[in-house]
Amino acid sequence: MTPEHPTTTGPHDLALDPPPGCPAHGRGPGGLHRLYGPGAEDLDDLYEQLREQHGPVAPVLLHDDVPMWVVLGHAENMHLVRTPSQFSRDSRIWTPLLDGAVKPDHPLMPHIAWQPICSHAEGDEHKRLRGAVTAAMATIDDRSVRRYIYRSTQRLVNRFCERGRAELVGQFAEHLPMAVMCHVIGMPEEYDDRMVQAARDALKGTETAIASHTYVMEALSRLTARRRADPQDDFTSHLIRDPAGLTDDEVREHLRLVLFAAYEATVNLLSNALRMVLTDPRFLAQLNGGQMTVPEAVEQSLWDEPPFSTVFAYFAKQDTELGGQRIRRGDGLLFAPAPGNVDPRIRPDLSANMQGNRAHLAFGGGPHECPGQDIGRAIADVGVDALLTRLPDVQLACAEEDLRWTTSIASRHLVELPVRFEPKPQQDVMVRPTHGALPPPRPVIPVSLDFTPASTAAPVAPPLATRLPPPGEPRPAATVPRPAPEPAPAPEPTPAWEPARRPNAWRRFLAWWRGY
């Protein structure tokens, strides 16, 4: 986006903005809103102000007052990501970068800087790299992954189930995606608290972020070398063996992309879904009543709180127009799922249930649509379902208004989710989660293996009183007969053992789908 005002092309043209320095604004150069610093603490509210002032596409300023467009409309966001002939992910054509306005140490440079990965490539190179990633993704067995998610959930819940309290972001949501993704790419042995901490630290951009990033990359380098020498049936091995012929550097960079992007997105999705089912009365009642499934709750969360608020960035390849704004060649545009998902043109009533509607922007679209969205959904679906099965009485341990988030241009991250429940015993991680302790084993029913025919059985001797002496021998003297003993009460009949009723077809299908 160029600093000068383009000529008027509609009601939202920049030429209609008040002059720079207008005291009514308290904004940056050109009277533009900043997406950082004072006045940008509540970005959701700021996006609505921008929508009211400028329409579906609004001019804003990034750190160091670098100009950018933010796309607020749902239809405009879809056009942005689905029109590669007009908009590119290659930041090397971005005018502020070419002009030197974006310094190498810019806070958003890690997100914006061009990298030799499929999400930044175009044309034949994009097809080569993206084809290798999607082909490797296609080899992942969904049922096996779901089984692993169940078992990982069991392990995590076993850590705190006996205490009766937990903090579900730090003890569950930040761990489950990392455990699953390490398994998927082929390095389950690398998953531990240190790996989780390193990933969180690298993504937060703290003072130790570089060291944390190095720790993760060293693990990915070891994995790449190991699988190059000894391929297995995992994502990394299939990526290496793809006909596209990726180099070790390309393999490692795409592993980093998959691990970090999937991890950050799924942590936010899982945290948001857990908060929603614990606090939102629409789902709390419907889940308990069986009218709303966990996958539907997850999908509603993708509408209301997408894992990424905005995605850096797209760049105009030519002069064009979008949402009533004149976009010049080299302008940068933020793909913005958060404001796009609440566009009043498609959601006039934000309290309405979006059940069955997957037209949200949470996973992007077009040639750069998230290739791992099915894994993210599975982690959230299965993880929430298994946790609610283990802890059916779980409830929030603080007032909902006391929950806190950390907010950036890129995402909104729930800090903590404290919960309480009745203490539960640990369970075997290899079996399907249950509401309580595992039931005792079924008693063994003794079965006779004597198949001797009744006709060959030994004769039973008659009672002593009925025996007669042989002929010629004197019979015993008559005796006073003893009173006949009272018959013993007949024992109550033992109910016949019946085998357990076989689950119906739907339950058998669910058990198969979940890996049990």
Side-chain angles (χ1 to χ4, degrees):
M1 186 178 64
T2 51
E4 68 271 18
H5 292 169
T7 56
T8 303
T9 58
H12 305 302
D13 194 277
L14 292 179
L16 298 181
D17 279 354
C22 175
H25 290 284
R27 309 174 187 174
L32 303 182
H33 281 283
R34 292 185 172 103
L35 296 186
Y36 68 98
E41 294 85 1
D42 187 344
L43 286 176
D44 290 340
D45 182 65
L46 178 56
Y47 290 145
E48 292 311 308
Q49 294 180 43
L50 292 169
R51 196 194 309 272
E52 184 176 347
Q53 294 170 13
H54 300 284
V57 179
V60 293
L61 297 173
L62 301 180
H63 298 75
D64 297 341
D65 288 339
V66 174
M68 179 72 74
W69 297 98
V70 59
V71 184
L72 307 169
H74 186 276
E76 289 74 17
N77 271 293
M78 293 304 296
H79 180 77
L80 175 71
V81 300
R82 289 179 173 177
T83 316
S85 61
Q86 296 179 349
F87 303 102
S88 168
R89 292 294 312 277
D90 189 343
S91 62
R92 293 175 296 182
I93 67 172
W94 189 24
T95 298
L97 187 63
L98 296 176
D99 293 344
V102 182
K103 306 301 181 184
D105 61 348
H106 191 279
L108 300 177
M109 184 56 74
H111 299 277
I112 296 175
W114 182 86
Q115 300 171 48
I117 53 178
C118 63
S119 57
H120 290 175
E122 284 200 311
D124 292 340
E125 184 65 2
H126 174 263
K127 291 180 181 178
R128 183 180 78 89
L129 297 175
R130 172 83 178 199
V133 172
T134 54
M137 285 283 182
T139 65
I140 298 172
D141 178 43
D142 184 78
R143 184 167 174 255
S144 174
V145 170
R146 286 177 174 265
R147 182 188 302 115
Y148 196 85
I149 298 170
Y150 269 114
R151 293 174 180 173
S152 298
T153 300
Q154 289 279 59
R155 292 188 184 95
L156 292 172
V157 175
N158 279 348
R159 293 183 180 184
F160 54 75
C161 63
E162 296 174 313
R163 303 175 191 170
R165 64 187 184 281
E167 194 284 286
L168 293 184
V169 174
Q171 292 181 276
F172 186 74
E174 291 185 348
H175 280 262
L176 182 61
M178 181 59 73
V180 176
M181 292 311 302
C182 284
H183 167 74
V184 166
I185 66 176
M187 58 175 201
E189 71 285 349
E190 297 283 359
Y191 164 69
D192 55 17
D193 292 346
R194 172 76 187 279
M195 180 61 73
V196 172
Q197 178 59 33
R200 293 300 312 151
D201 191 48
L203 291 167
K204 288 177 181 176
T206 63
E207 294 180 355
T208 57
I210 294 178
S212 296
H213 183 268
T214 300
Y215 177 82
V216 177
M217 292 305 294
E218 287 175 350
L220 297 178
S221 296
R222 291 193 298 269
L223 172 64
T224 301
R226 210 163 48 239
R227 290 297 180 258
R228 180 75 73 178
D230 181 23
Q232 302 291 322
D233 186 17
D234 54 40
F235 176 82
T236 301
S237 298
H238 289 289
L239 191 63
I240 290 173
R241 292 183 294 181
D242 190 86
L246 272 64
T247 65
D248 283 357
D249 286 343
E250 288 175 328
V251 170
R252 185 169 53 249
E253 286 301 312
H254 282 88
L255 290 177
R256 180 184 64 85
L257 173 66
V258 169
L259 185 64
F260 277 121
Y263 176 68
E264 174 71 2
T266 311
V267 168
N268 289 340
L269 173 58
L270 188 54
S271 300
N272 293 336
L274 285 168
R275 184 200 62 81
M276 179 169 287
V277 300
L278 290 174
T279 61
D280 194 314
R282 294 175 299 173
F283 299 108
L284 192 61
Q286 290 176 320
L287 279 169
N288 290 338
Q291 299 175 9
M292 174 63 66
T293 65
V294 170
E296 289 167 345
V298 169
E299 215 63 36
Q300 183 72 34
S301 176
L302 289 169
W303 273 103
D304 296 343
E305 298 178 286
F308 291 115
S309 304
T310 63
V311 174
F312 296 90
Y314 283 77
F315 307 94
K317 300 168 71 173
Q318 60 192 38
D319 289 354
T320 185
E321 187 171 314
L322 183 66
Q325 302 284 17
R326 182 179 177 183
I327 310 297
R328 294 178 181 265
R329 184 181 184 276
D331 281 0
L333 304 96
L334 293 180
F335 170 62
N341 278 354
V342 295
D343 186 343
R345 293 175 299 176
I346 64 164
R347 291 186 69 186
D349 180 9
L350 294 181
S351 65
N353 194 333
M354 300 302 288
Q355 184 173 345
N357 188 336
R358 285 193 171 188
H360 52 71
L361 304 169
F363 295 116
H368 296 290
E369 184 174 4
C370 174
Q373 56 185 279
D374 289 341
I375 295 178
R377 278 193 176 98
I379 293 173
D381 292 350
V382 177
V384 173
D385 178 71
L387 184 135
L388 293 178
T389 300
R390 286 289 304 273
L391 309 174
D393 59 339
V394 64
Q395 55 186 304
L396 199 62
C398 68
E400 184 178 354
E401 54 268 21
D402 291 338
L403 295 176
R404 296 179 298 111
W405 282 262
T406 56
T407 303
S408 67
I409 300 175
S411 64
R412 185 170 180 257
H413 184 75
L414 184 62
V415 177
E416 292 182 338
L417 188 63
V419 296
R420 64 177 184 270
F421 47 87
E422 286 297 318
K424 305 290 191 303
Q426 296 190 22
Q427 292 187 8
D428 185 350
V429 299
M430 301 303 291
V431 301
R432 184 178 176 180
T434 64
H435 288 300
L438 292 177
R442 181 180 295 174
V444 177
I445 307 299
V447 177
S448 174
L449 299 179
D450 184 7
F451 298 102
T452 304
S455 58
T456 63
V460 180
L464 181 61
T466 62
R467 293 179 187 172
L468 295 177
E473 293 187 9
R475 297 190 178 189
T479 57
V480 178
R482 299 178 181 178
E486 295 183 2
E492 295 183 2
T494 303
W497 176 80
E498 295 181 0
R501 179 177 298 176
R502 190 186 187 199
N504 61 32
W506 174 246
R507 293 188 177 277
R508 294 199 305 273
F509 171 76
L510 286 180
W512 173 85
W513 180 257
R514 291 169 174 171
Y516 291 92

